[in-house]
Amino acid sequence: MKVFYIDPQSYNNLSVYDYHLLTNVGGHEVVFYGNQLYQCEPMRGVRQKLVFGYSVKKRAWQKALSYSMSMIRILLDVVRERPDVVHVQWLRLWHLDYAFGWLLHRMGIRFVFTAHNVLPHNPKPQDAKRYARYYQLADAIIVHSERTKREMVSDLGVEADKIKVIFHGMLENDVVQADVDERCEGLRNTLGIKQGDVVFSCLGIQNSYKGIDLVVKVWNETAALRENPRLHLLLVGRNKDIDFAPLAGCGNVFVLDEMISDVDFDAYLQLSSVVLLPYKKISQSGVLFTALSRGVPVLVSDVGGLTEPMQYARVGWNIGEPTVENLQGALLRLAQDGEEIDGVRRATEEFERIKKIYSWESIGEQTSKLYACVRTLEKSRSL
């Protein structure tokens, strides 16, 4: 069976996701349509076409034109090769992507979509209606948690029987550990982090939907955090919409507003005592699974599927609703009891259990079975 797998955003963490998923999908002929910035090695048994170049364009119209040309090229391949299933990972231009899905439907080609989030992180007023229409086109929708499935059914009216919960897998960067260790020690010296200090970190793109503004507010307004020299807050990654000005006078805060290399990301992760994920809205987080793959505890809000790993193992803390009060209470408690953090970090068997539950072998097998199942569906809907 031939499968076209389309991910226009297959770079950084998303290229790692695609690599691990597709190298564990068996029994099908897979053609991977990815981004020209794809960073991982070629996948065994997968035909690779890196057709998307929009992400390096400077102007919005250039990005739109480039993306449109890439999708037209894929559509021509669809017409020529007639794949059994087309699996799309992300939407970039809704009208074009909807038209692409509609054409697949008209041609009788089965269509799978992975909804990493029910709606975009910063949704526009029309997005709920648009995404509901798009989801109706799909023969099957993959989500990463039961909560996301419930939200999709209740909020957008999607049929429950077309939604399949398949976990998000562990994300590990392909880096040399010796390089990470060396970089970590350099950062420790540069930032003045001593043995026994507690390091809280927010890694990746800094955005308000991730609750980074809550972190800034709590740290700035809590003297026991702000003035403790044995505590550190690392805010590392390109800043989208966060005002870091209130933290300018805090000697135990380090802000780096730029994209960083995989080695640096893993070094900051290794330096962290706890990774902070007080998201306001999310379905699932790649940073969560990168931290867990490294054995680094996480502090999460009870949003989307963030707390799901804690149902299986003690790998972090759940603050509940993402509020200033809840985040402040959790940070103060952990700051005052470093033994609690050390206890979680030392429980390597807990992190190993998580790795097995969220293994790519299982995820790939479930995805392979879904392709086969979708192929046999009767087309009962008319558009």
Side-chain angles (χ1 to χ4, degrees):
M1 195 172 90
K2 181 178 291 186
V3 177
F4 279 11
Y5 179 101
I6 304 170
D7 185 358
Q9 298 182 190
S10 57
Y11 53 94
N12 296 334
N13 269 352
L14 300 182
S15 66
V16 178
Y17 175 94
D18 293 334
Y19 175 83
H20 286 295
L21 174 59
L22 293 181
T23 53
N24 286 284
V25 167
H28 305 297
E29 178 188 349
V30 178
V31 183
F32 168 55
Y33 291 89
N35 195 288
Q36 293 167 8
L37 297 179
Y38 175 78
Q39 295 152 286
C40 299
E41 62 185 57
M43 293 167 271
R44 62 182 182 275
V46 175
R47 186 151 48 106
Q48 184 169 292
K49 295 188 176 185
L50 304 182
V51 300
F52 292 101
Y54 71 91
S55 48
V56 299
K57 306 298 183 183
K58 300 298 183 183
R59 301 179 184 277
W61 70 266
Q62 292 174 323
K63 290 179 181 291
L65 178 60
S66 177
Y67 180 78
S68 299
M69 296 302 294
S70 299
M71 291 300 294
I72 290 171
R73 175 178 171 181
I74 296 172
L75 181 61
L76 292 175
D77 282 359
V78 169
V79 172
R80 182 166 50 250
E81 298 191 33
R82 305 292 296 190
D84 300 286
V85 175
V86 172
H87 183 179
V88 176
Q89 286 290 325
W90 296 92
L91 306 184
R92 296 299 304 172
L93 291 176
W94 184 84
H95 289 94
L96 178 62
D97 293 326
Y98 182 86
F100 181 82
W102 184 86
L103 287 170
L104 293 178
H105 182 89
R106 298 299 296 175
M107 287 188 285
I109 294 172
R110 303 307 191 260
F111 171 30
V112 176
F113 180 72
T114 295
H116 295 282
N117 298 290
V118 176
L119 295 175
H121 294 314
N122 300 297
K124 300 179 177 65
Q126 67 270 30
D127 279 345
K129 184 176 180 180
R130 285 180 170 180
Y131 275 71
R133 288 181 61 195
Y134 186 83
Y135 293 148
Q136 290 301 319
L137 286 175
D139 294 290
I141 302 169
I142 296 172
V143 298
H144 297 312
S145 72
E146 288 290 344
R147 177 179 284 181
T148 302
K149 178 176 179 176
R150 292 194 298 270
E151 290 176 357
M152 188 172 283
V153 172
S154 62
D155 296 349
L156 299 182
V158 180
E159 303 97 310
D161 61 358
K162 73 155 59 174
I163 306 173
K164 172 68 173 177
V165 178
I166 300 179
F167 286 159
H168 192 300
M170 296 285 121
L171 294 179
E172 297 186 42
N173 292 322
D174 185 18
V175 294
V176 178
Q177 185 57 44
D179 294 339
V180 175
D181 293 340
E182 181 180 357
R183 181 60 175 144
C184 185
E185 283 308 303
L187 289 171
R188 185 182 298 276
N189 293 331
T190 300
L191 301 176
I193 298 174
K194 300 179 178 61
Q195 195 68 33
D197 286 1
V198 174
V199 180
F200 297 113
S201 69
C202 299
L203 306 177
I205 294 176
Q206 307 293 301
N207 202 309
S208 58
Y209 80 83
K210 295 183 176 183
I212 307 300
D213 55 334
L214 300 180
V215 177
V216 171
K217 184 175 179 62
V218 166
W219 204 272
N220 178 55
E221 296 180 357
T222 310
L225 300 173
R226 185 182 66 247
E227 297 174 4
N228 188 337
R230 300 308 301 271
L231 299 180
H232 304 268
L233 174 62
L234 309 182
L235 300 162
V236 178
R238 184 157 54 86
N239 184 16
K240 281 285 189 178
D241 59 2
I242 305 298
D243 180 12
F244 289 131
L247 300 177
C250 298
N252 61 358
V253 175
F254 173 70
V255 177
L256 180 63
D257 178 10
E258 61 182 52
M259 297 293 288
I260 60 175
S261 68
D262 288 345
V263 168
D264 276 15
F265 188 94
D266 275 31
Y268 282 111
L269 194 57
Q270 188 166 303
L271 201 57
S272 303
S273 306
V274 181
V275 172
L276 307 182
L277 300 165
Y279 282 71
K280 299 175 183 176
K281 188 73 175 176
I282 195 69
S283 291
Q284 198 49 278
S285 164
V287 176
L288 169 68
F289 288 104
T290 306
L292 295 181
S293 74
R294 279 283 188 175
V296 180
V298 294
L299 187 147
V300 305
S301 54
D302 190 10
V303 170
L306 295 180
T307 62
E308 201 167 59
M310 296 174 196
Q311 298 174 18
Y312 307 105
R314 185 169 178 254
V315 291
W317 302 267
N318 172 14
I319 69 170
E321 187 180 352
T323 65
V324 167
E325 294 74 22
N326 288 348
L327 180 59
Q328 182 183 54
L331 291 179
L332 285 172
R333 182 169 56 80
L334 292 176
Q336 293 163 6
D337 186 6
E339 282 299 315
E340 184 174 355
I341 298 174
D342 291 341
V344 174
R345 289 191 72 103
R346 287 194 297 265
T348 55
E349 70 280 0
E350 299 288 299
F351 288 94
E352 289 303 315
R353 184 181 304 127
I354 286 294
K355 289 180 182 180
K356 291 178 181 177
I357 292 171
Y358 291 87
S359 73
W360 285 108
E361 290 82 2
S362 173
I363 292 165
E365 181 180 359
Q366 292 178 66
T367 304
S368 298
K369 290 180 178 178
L370 179 63
Y371 292 157
C373 180
V374 167
R375 180 66 184 86
T376 64
L377 289 176
E378 289 293 331
K379 282 284 183 182
S380 59
R381 296 184 304 279
S382 59
L383 301 178

